[in-house]
Every structure is written in structure tokens, then in C-alpha cells.
């Protein structure tokens, strides 16, 4: 299993709220991974599903065809900001499957978390985003989600059992309720707080790596 650990030395903790179908999360995750590694900041991962069913997708966008068209328009904006130019818009445009909602991938991320905590959650989240936005695979398909897990070294049966468990579903719902209580309405959202809770938390969204590092260093000095 590909797990990346760092020595946590920072007085800060970041709660990272994300959805695997979100292009802006794909842009932000490697920046956060880089900066958190450099500064030794602990990252806690939370799934926040914007639409959790086909019916909700239709309600929001009007139809599944319109959903895909509008979301790929968002991809174009994300691609302009992606540091590594990984987003394959035309590849997704040619796929015949409907654009997936975020529930299945959120359950898979929670399964990874159950089996390997935050580090495994992050590795899996990045892998499922790569499958979605670069490889244009259908991450609404449970078999695809499981294959991604196996490629990272998870046991297939253990991952499948965790992904379909009531615990995974409850974790998705708990993260969603927590995000709503915090007033989070868009992703990615980073809630940056001091580990000793002596300073008020701040929230950040898609931020260039150098600016993110500068803001976090300022907070560390003040903590």
C-alpha cells in the first residue's frame, strides 16, 4: 500500500473537505500535500458529497446530459489552474457513461480511511481523482473503485467489505453533517486550526502553493 507519512511538528491541524468528482480538489490536493509535508502539518480528511444520487444530479442540473456539459465547463476552468496540466476534458467528453455523483467514491474513500486512517484516505483520494479526471474512468462503478484500491495495495475483499458497510455510510453522512454545520458550501475547503485550540480557525479554498505556505507559516508563528 502506498502510504506517505511525515513527521508532524506543526502546531496547526488542517481539516480537508473534498469530493472526488471535484476538479478544484484535484488542483488543490497536491499543493496541500507538498506544503503540509514541508511544514509538518497534520491533515484530517473528510468527504463532502455535493450530489449523492442521479436524482439529485438531475434536480440540480436539469438532466444528466446538462450535468456533464456544465461540469466539463468547470473542468476547463480547473485545467487552467492545474499545476501539472493533468485534466483530460476531451477524454471525459467522449465517454458514454453518465457523469458520476460523488457518493460511491466517498464510500470508497471512507473504506480506505477505515483500513489505513488519514494517510490511506489521502492516497486513495488522489488515486480515484486521477482515475476520474486524467484517466476518465467511471468512478461511479464499484468495480472500478475496488480496482483502484487493489492497485494501491489494499486487500480486495477487505476493501469491498468496508466500502459497502454501514460504518462507511455513517462516516460519509457524519462528514457531510459536520461540513453543513460549519457552513461549508463549496469544495475544496480547508479548515485550519491550532492544535491547542487557542486561536480561531480560518478557512481556505483553492490557493497557490506558495501563498498557502506563506499563510500557514504566518499562522504557525502566531500559534
Amino acid at each position: 500500500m502506498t502510504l506517505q507519512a511525515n513527521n508532524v511538528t506543526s502546531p496547526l491541524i488542517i481539516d480537508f473537505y473534498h469530493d472526488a468528482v471535484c476538479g478544484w480538489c484535484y488542483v488543490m490536493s497536491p499543493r496541500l500535500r507538498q506544503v503540509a509535508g514541508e511544514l509538518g502539518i497534520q491533515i484530517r480528511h473528510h468527504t463532502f458529497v455535493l450530489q449523492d444520487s442521479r436524482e439529485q444530479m438531475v434536480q440540480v442540473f436539469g438532466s444528466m446530459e446538462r450535468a456533464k456539459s456544465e461540469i466539463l465547463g468547470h473542468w476547463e476552468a480547473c485545467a487552467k489552474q492545474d499545476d501539472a496540466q493533468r485534466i483530460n476534458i476531451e477524454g471525459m467528453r467522449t465517454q458514454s457513461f453518465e457523469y458520476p455523483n460523488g457518493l460511491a467514491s466517498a464510500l470508497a474513500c471512507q473504506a480506505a480511511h477505515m483500513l489505513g486512517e488519514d494517510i490511506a484516505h489521502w492516497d486513495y483520494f488522489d488515486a480515484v481523482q486521477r482515475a476520474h479526471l486524467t484517466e476518465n474512468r467511471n468512478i461511479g462503478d464499484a468495480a472500478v473503485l475496488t480496482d483502484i484500491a487493489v492497485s494501491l495495495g489494499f486487500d480486495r475483499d477487505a476493501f469491498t467489505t468496508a466500502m459497502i458497510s454501514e460504518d462507511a455510510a455513517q462516516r460519509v453522512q457524519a462528514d457531510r453533517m459536520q461540513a453543513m454545520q460549519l457552513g461549508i458550501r463549496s469544495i475544496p475547503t480547508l479548515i485550519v486550526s491550532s492544535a491547542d485550540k487557542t486561536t480561531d480557525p480560518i478557512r481556505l479554498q483553492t490557493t497557490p502553493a506558495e501563498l498557502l505556505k506563506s499563510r500557514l507559516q504566518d499562522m504557525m508563528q502566531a500559534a
Side-chain angles (χ1 to χ4, degrees):
M1 189 184 303
T2 306
L3 301 180
Q4 299 180 8
N6 57 331
N7 295 320
V8 177
T9 59
S10 168
L12 302 181
I13 293 174
I14 297 178
D15 288 282
F16 182 19
Y17 290 83
H18 50 60
D19 187 342
V21 300
C22 167
W24 290 113
C25 295
Y26 198 39
V27 172
M28 190 62 197
S29 184
R31 296 175 182 177
L32 180 60
R33 189 183 281 271
Q34 173 192 331
V35 172
E38 291 173 358
L39 301 182
I41 297 176
Q42 178 186 357
I43 310 297
R44 298 188 298 208
H45 289 267
H46 306 271
T47 57
F48 182 43
V49 181
L50 295 179
Q51 287 92 41
D52 63 9
S53 67
R54 185 181 191 276
E55 292 72 23
Q56 196 171 34
M57 295 276 285
V58 171
Q59 182 180 5
V60 171
F61 295 102
S63 70
M64 292 304 295
E65 292 76 17
R66 288 182 62 183
K68 183 173 181 177
S69 177
E70 185 171 331
I71 292 168
L72 290 184
H74 298 165
W75 279 33
E76 291 175 2
C78 296
K80 292 176 181 177
Q81 300 298 322
D82 184 34
D83 299 325
Q85 295 297 294
R86 301 162 298 161
I87 299 176
N88 183 1
I89 301 165
E90 292 309 313
M92 180 59 77
R93 201 184 306 279
T94 63
Q95 297 299 325
S96 60
F97 56 81
E98 292 183 336
Y99 194 90
N101 65 73
L103 180 57
S105 54
L107 291 168
C109 284
Q110 294 292 352
H113 200 136
M114 291 160 61
L115 295 171
E117 301 185 346
D118 283 299
I119 296 170
H121 188 150
W122 203 348
D123 283 346
Y124 186 83
F125 177 73
D126 284 349
V128 79
Q129 285 229 288
R130 182 170 60 253
H132 178 55
L133 285 114
T134 298
E135 300 167 1
N136 307 131
R137 298 165 69 187
N138 182 6
I139 64 167
D141 185 330
V144 171
L145 294 169
T146 304
D147 285 346
I148 294 167
V150 172
S151 75
L152 293 176
F154 289 96
D155 176 79
R156 183 178 295 275
D157 290 341
F159 190 87
T160 300
T161 298
M163 186 169 61
I164 64 174
S165 69
E166 183 61 26
D167 191 4
Q170 289 176 353
R171 287 170 177 265
V172 169
Q173 184 61 17
D175 276 351
R176 202 174 191 185
M177 292 299 298
Q178 187 177 61
M180 293 174 68
Q181 290 167 1
L182 290 168
I184 295 172
R185 293 182 174 84
S186 61
I187 46 173
T189 292
L190 312 179
I191 304 295
V192 188
S193 56
S194 57
D196 59 8
K197 304 185 186 301
T198 56
T199 59
D200 292 334
I202 67 167
R203 63 185 62 198
L204 302 170
Q205 293 189 287
T206 306
T207 307
E210 287 306 312
L211 177 58
L212 175 65
K213 184 174 182 178
S214 175
R215 293 202 63 181
L216 294 176
Q217 285 175 323
D218 289 344
M219 289 189 68
M220 290 169 66
Q221 291 171 4

